[in-house]
Amino acid sequence: MHRAARIEDWLHDRREHSARRRGYQPTVIPYTGYGSTAWVRILCRVLLAKPEKPAKRTKRPRADGRDAGIRGWRSFTSVPVNDVTVTIEIDGQTHRVQADRGGVVDTVVPVSLPAGWHVARLHTEFSAVAEAPLFIVAPTVGYGVVSDVDDTVMVTTLPRPLLAAWNTFVLDEHARVPTPGMAVFLERLASFTPGAPVIYLSTGAWNVAPTLSRFLSRNLYPAGALLLTDWGPTHDRWFRSGSAHKRDNLRRLAEQFPDMRWILIGDDGQHDEAIYSDFQRDYPGSVAAVAIRQLSPSEAVLAGGRSRDAVLIDGSPEAPWVYGPDGSSLANQLVAHGLL
């Protein structure tokens, strides 16, 4: 194991020991999963958190329903529980799986469910039961949507080296700005093919998943699974590769749904075009179209420049590439191709 990973594990062990002494208890944080009528992909994370105290009526709630001062850094103060056994209860079946060294569970379990939304019950030996939403895709559904997050559904306007730190540790979640027209664009795509899965594929950390889910819901993006990553060192390197994370999950989706064609949505900030182009080359039958949001000149500078020096990719008649500055422009072009 890489030295950095050993150091991280040692710090996690110290923090876990200290948190348990202070009465912190295991808590399962459920994430939206997806699957077919024969299997489901379960996603969750196990953390140590303070026991909930009875609510005190010390002040009037905000008129807009917001909790004051919700910032991403709070999600990083919880302690992950590694190698803990998580029990999954779904459709009368029980499965037990092991969380990884970051407390994350990402596993596929066999189960027969009809298409639509379902719920899995997740818990550890000493935690309360948490319910994870699951979207089951019918075998007859032929299209799905995969979308990037930063600079695609959410405007960031920050230099890439500072982006993750700012969005994670500083920015109030209610101050994050949706990209113009993208919520309507994704909702139209999801509605065009009833039962189509929507996947949000990002290099963000699992720690921000609850915040990101609230942002998507509040701004009327269609519900879907989040495929995020675990920051920090791996067994063989200092930091995880965001590009590898996206490529691996796209390959996984293509293999899990071999008859489905995906509409891939991203931006021209840095890597999305290259990742989607490589995926289309390797799995040509799995791509229906690629929609790339073009950053403004100032956004492109902050993002580290445009990929491919802003050379547009035409794609093919069977899988066109469209470019536009917002969701409305991208939608109009997909209408012309009969995909919306």
Side-chain angles (χ1 to χ4, degrees):
M1 185 181 293
H2 196 284
R3 179 181 300 175
R6 294 199 300 269
I7 294 174
E8 183 186 49
D9 287 349
W10 178 81
L11 288 174
H12 282 332
D13 288 342
R14 299 282 293 183
R15 293 183 64 211
E16 180 178 345
H17 179 70
S18 175
R20 289 184 184 275
R21 288 181 57 189
R22 287 179 287 153
Y24 282 44
Q25 298 176 356
T27 301
V28 177
I29 309 299
Y31 307 130
T32 301
Y34 66 88
S36 74
T37 53
W39 56 267
V40 292
R41 184 177 180 181
I42 301 291
L43 300 160
C44 70
R45 196 174 191 216
V46 184
L47 305 172
L48 288 178
K50 288 183 179 180
E52 293 187 2
K53 296 181 180 180
K56 296 182 180 180
R57 300 186 62 182
T58 57
K59 60 180 180 180
R60 295 179 59 186
R62 295 174 61 104
D64 59 4
R66 288 168 42 179
D67 293 323
I70 300 176
R71 284 177 169 80
W73 66 266
R74 296 180 186 276
S75 64
F76 281 79
T77 60
S78 298
V79 182
V81 183
N82 65 347
D83 298 328
V84 65
T85 299
V86 176
T87 300
I88 302 169
E89 299 174 359
I90 178 172
D91 194 39
Q93 300 181 31
T94 299
H95 303 267
R96 290 179 175 82
V97 297
Q98 207 78 3
D100 67 14
R101 48 188 292 271
V104 175
V105 170
D106 181 355
T107 189
V108 172
V109 298
V111 63
S112 179
L113 293 172
W117 286 98
H118 298 268
V119 171
R121 291 166 52 87
L122 314 175
H123 63 90
T124 68
E125 184 179 2
F126 301 105
S127 75
V129 174
E131 295 187 340
L134 304 173
F135 186 72
I136 304 301
V137 184
T140 55
V141 175
Y143 289 94
V145 179
V146 174
S147 178
D148 178 42
V149 175
D150 287 325
D151 287 326
T152 301
V153 304
M154 179 192 300
V155 178
T156 54
T157 62
L158 282 170
R160 291 286 174 167
L162 302 178
L163 171 62
W166 177 268
N167 279 338
T168 299
F169 299 111
V170 180
L171 186 63
D172 185 303
E173 73 175 60
H174 296 86
R176 303 179 185 194
V177 180
T179 304
M182 292 301 290
V184 175
F185 176 41
L186 264 70
E187 182 59 41
R188 289 180 64 187
L189 284 173
S191 301
F192 186 71
T193 303
V198 178
I199 307 291
Y200 297 96
L201 178 57
S202 172
T203 57
W206 281 115
N207 305 65
V208 300
T211 298
L212 182 54
S213 295
R214 291 191 294 267
F215 169 86
L216 296 171
S217 176
R218 186 168 56 252
N219 290 286
L220 304 182
Y221 282 95
L226 297 175
L227 299 182
L228 307 180
T229 188
D230 191 15
W231 282 1
T234 66
H235 287 81
D236 58 356
R237 57 188 298 169
W238 278 97
F239 296 103
R240 297 176 190 273
S241 169
S243 295
H245 163 71
K246 286 190 171 184
R247 294 176 191 275
D248 290 345
N249 274 283
L250 286 172
R251 283 195 295 267
R252 187 169 182 174
L253 289 171
E255 293 165 1
Q256 290 174 330
F257 299 100
D259 299 324
M260 183 170 294
R261 303 183 69 205
W262 296 91
I263 297 176
L264 309 176
I265 304 171
D267 63 81
D268 65 355
Q270 283 191 331
H271 302 301
D272 286 347
E273 288 174 288
I275 293 171
Y276 292 164
S277 178
D278 292 343
F279 177 68
Q280 185 175 17
R281 180 198 63 211
D282 296 338
Y283 298 90
S286 295
V287 178
V290 179
I292 298 295
R293 178 188 173 241
Q294 293 172 306
L295 304 184
S296 68
S298 59
E299 289 176 326
V301 170
L302 292 171
R306 298 184 190 275
S307 62
R308 297 179 179 268
D309 297 322
V311 174
L312 305 187
I313 300 174
D314 294 329
S316 65
E318 296 79 18
W321 285 59
V322 299
Y323 288 77
D326 52 40
S328 176
S329 174
L330 296 172
N332 291 337
Q333 294 177 70
L334 287 190
V335 168
H337 287 285
L339 292 170
L340 199 57

